[in-house]
């Protein structure tokens, strides 16, 4: 019998739907904060297999989710390529900004394998211990990762997006380098034991149509094709956040087995734009989970009503917020299971 999440990604209308949450491991859990305190910093946490394995499994053990998502970060790849990265307390990630050809030339794909070895060790350890849940590996999609690499920090990414207009050749070379490195990294996670993979393009929705096609859809299509060729047994979930009307084209072009819906997508429109067998994943507002009670119940109900009868994976439309009470997460799982 296949795991529930994998059955949904194979196109089955599993009901009640499998459930997991983006950022299900993190600061809202006291047991996460305790282990976080044992690591020197966030990168140390991501690259210490003992700690990263424990953190990955914490929410699965506590809530009985249908998936474990590897505890790591999309910015581990730029770090592995040699870009300086820090996670400043209360500020989010800070990278030494890549602004020109010299910055691009300084990236070294040759050092990635050794740098990510501890992350792959975590994948193997989690797979060993994960039980009935499915292990999801992931990477940031080239455009979103390029945004952080060029800008040097989160925000509106105006510097990164201006570079794409000013010097499309340089920006395209960065996207191509990331597309190749991301493909290699995802294949390595599959080899280490990841049973499904997810590509996070959190800032895809910032782009005008032609750039969306070039920097979001085209790289995801190449990554998906390479994964299908090498590991047809490992399904891919694409998450082009805030892509809006481009969702249907993205799903059709890439051939992803799962499509993540952000909070702003009307689930009913999504079911029309992206027909089965693609599994639609999402898309409860993280704030409905934070508020809990009747708001949470109504939010869940609205999604389940539309998704019943088609392959669906229940999730949020973006990550769990740090202030979320853990009891609300337990309530969510119970309500989805009762569907
Ligand atoms: O549970 C999971 O979803 C797995 C772990 C995971 C993390 N980051 C852990 C993390 C995953 C899948 C990510 C992806 C990620 N990281 C994305 C794509 C998804 C999204 O949220 O849009 C992005 C854009 C990042 C970059 C990033 N990492 C930012 C902007 C921040 C700071 C914001 C914050 O919440 O602190 C991080 C840090 C980060 N990544 C934390 C965690 C648990 C917090 C660090 C800490 O605990 O101190």
């Amino acid at each position: 019998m296949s795991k529930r999440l994998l059955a949904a990604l194979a196109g089955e209308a599993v009901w009640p739907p499998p459930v997991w949450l983006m950022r299900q491991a993190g600061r809202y859990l006291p047991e996460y904060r305790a282990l976080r305190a044992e690591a020197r910093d966030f990168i140390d946490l991501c690259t210490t297999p003992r700690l990263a394995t424990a953190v990955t499994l914490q929410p699965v053990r506590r809530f009985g989710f249908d998936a474990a998502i590897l505890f790591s970060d999309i910015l581990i790849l730029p770090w592995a390529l040699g870009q300086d990265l820090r996670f400043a307390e209360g500020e989010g990630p800070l990278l030494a900004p890549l602004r020109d050809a010299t910055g691009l030339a300084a990236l070294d794909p040759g050092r990635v394998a050794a740098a990510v070895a501890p992350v792959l060790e975590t994948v193997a350890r989690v797979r060993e211990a994960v039980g009935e849940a499915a292990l999801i590996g992931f990477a940031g999609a080239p455009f979103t990762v390029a945004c952080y690499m060029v800008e040097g920090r989160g925000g509106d990414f105006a510097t990164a997006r201006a570079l794409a207009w000013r010097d499309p050749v340089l920006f395209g070379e960065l996207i191509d380098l990331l597309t190749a490195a991301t493909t290699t990294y995802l294949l390595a996670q599959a080899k280490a034991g990841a049973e499904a993979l997810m590509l996070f393009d959190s800032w895809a929705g910032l782009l005008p149509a032609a750039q969306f096609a070039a920097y979001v859809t085209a790289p995801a299509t190449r990554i998906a094709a390479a994964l299908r060729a090498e590991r047809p047994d490992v399904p891919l979930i694409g998450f082009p956040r805030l892509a809006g009307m481009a969702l249907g084209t993205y799903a059709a072009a890439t051939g992803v087995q799962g499509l993540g819906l952000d909070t702003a997508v009307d689930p009913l429109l999504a079911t029309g734009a992206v027909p089965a067998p693609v599994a639609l994943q999402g898309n409860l507002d993280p704030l409905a989970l934070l508020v809990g009670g009747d708001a949470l119940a109504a939010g869940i109900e609205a999604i389940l009503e539309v998704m019943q009868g088609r392959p669906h994976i229940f999730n949020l439309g973006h990550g769990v917020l740090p202030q979320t009470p853990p009891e609300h997460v337990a309530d969510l799982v119970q309500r989805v299971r009762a569907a």
Side-chain angles (χ1 to χ4, degrees), residues 182-192 197 226-227 230-231:
T182 301
T183 302
T184 306
Y185 183 40
L186 288 173
L187 282 170
Q189 291 181 43
K191 189 170 175 212
L197 297 165
L227 295 177
E230 300 272 329
R231 292 301 302 261

Side-chain angles (χ1 to χ4, degrees), residues 20-27 32 36 42 45 69-75 87 89 91-93 138 144 148 200 202-203 239 241 318-319 322:
W20 71 278
L21 304 180
M22 292 185 278
R23 287 285 181 95
Q24 64 189 19
R27 280 167 296 186
Y32 171 83
R36 172 81 169 79
F42 180 66
L45 181 60
I69 182 158
L70 167 68
F71 189 82
S72 181
D73 195 87
I74 65 165
L75 299 177
F87 283 87
E89 207 57 58
E91 266 200 275
F138 72 91
T144 288
Y148 285 99
F200 285 88
S202 305
W203 301 107
F239 183 42
R241 198 168 74 89
H318 204 181

